[in-house]
């Protein structure tokens, strides 16, 4: 939204409308929860049993949420963690195969129901 002077207008603060501020705060929290957690399903690694939350966003994008316990249980991730932060570590290949198998199983179950 631009102003007559060519600059950008600030989003409304709703300072005079506490009910609207509360509704926006709640909706923002819901949006954040959905973005971070929506569609995540538990997947257990067939190799080590570590359980993560995962979702397939597209053919080339998989979101994985690791818990502390799963990161410690996974030998691949634990070995990498000893060398430093795991923030930018590619995930465990065995876990990726378990996620792929879970997706195949889910697709097969859906096809059987149709």
């Amino acid at each position: 939204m631009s102003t007559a002077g060519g600059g950008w207008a600030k989003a409304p603060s709703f300072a005079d409308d506490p009910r609207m501020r509360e509704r926006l705060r709640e909706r923002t929290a819901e949006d954040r929860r959905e973005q971070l957690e929506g569609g995540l399903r538990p997947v257990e690694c067939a190799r080590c049993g570590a359980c993560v939350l995962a979702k397939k966003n597209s053919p080339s994008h998989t979101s994985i949420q690791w818990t502390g316990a799963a990161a410690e249980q996974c030998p691949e991730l634990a070995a990498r963690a000893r060398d430093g932060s795991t923030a930018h570590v590619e995930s465990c290949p065995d876990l990726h195969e378990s996620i792929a198998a879970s997706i195949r199983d889910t697709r097969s179950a859906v096809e059987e129901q149709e």
Side-chain angles (χ1 to χ4, degrees), residues 9-99:
K10 184 179 176 184
S13 69
F14 299 105
D16 59 343
D17 191 347
R19 285 184 12 196
M20 178 60 89
R21 278 198 327 266
E22 181 59 23
R23 284 181 53 214
L24 288 173
R25 187 194 65 73
E26 289 171 359
R27 289 178 63 192
T28 300
E30 290 171 13
D31 288 346
R32 179 177 168 79
R33 230 181 344 270
E34 177 60 29
Q35 177 68 26
L36 294 175
E37 301 170 9
L40 291 170
R41 301 289 180 259
V43 177
E44 188 174 300
C45 179
R47 176 178 174 213
C48 70
C51 188
V52 299
L53 295 174
K55 74 175 172 181
K56 195 72 176 154
N57 298 307
S58 74
S60 60
H61 181 201
T62 303
S63 294
I64 303 171
Q65 296 292 319
W66 286 84
T67 64
E72 290 173 6
Q73 187 171 348
C74 173
E76 184 79 21
L77 202 66
R80 294 178 188 183
R82 283 191 291 275
D83 297 332
S85 170
T86 60
H88 298 288
V89 171
E90 287 197 29
S91 192
C92 171
D94 294 313
L95 176 66
H96 274 282
E97 179 51 39
S98 295
I99 292 170

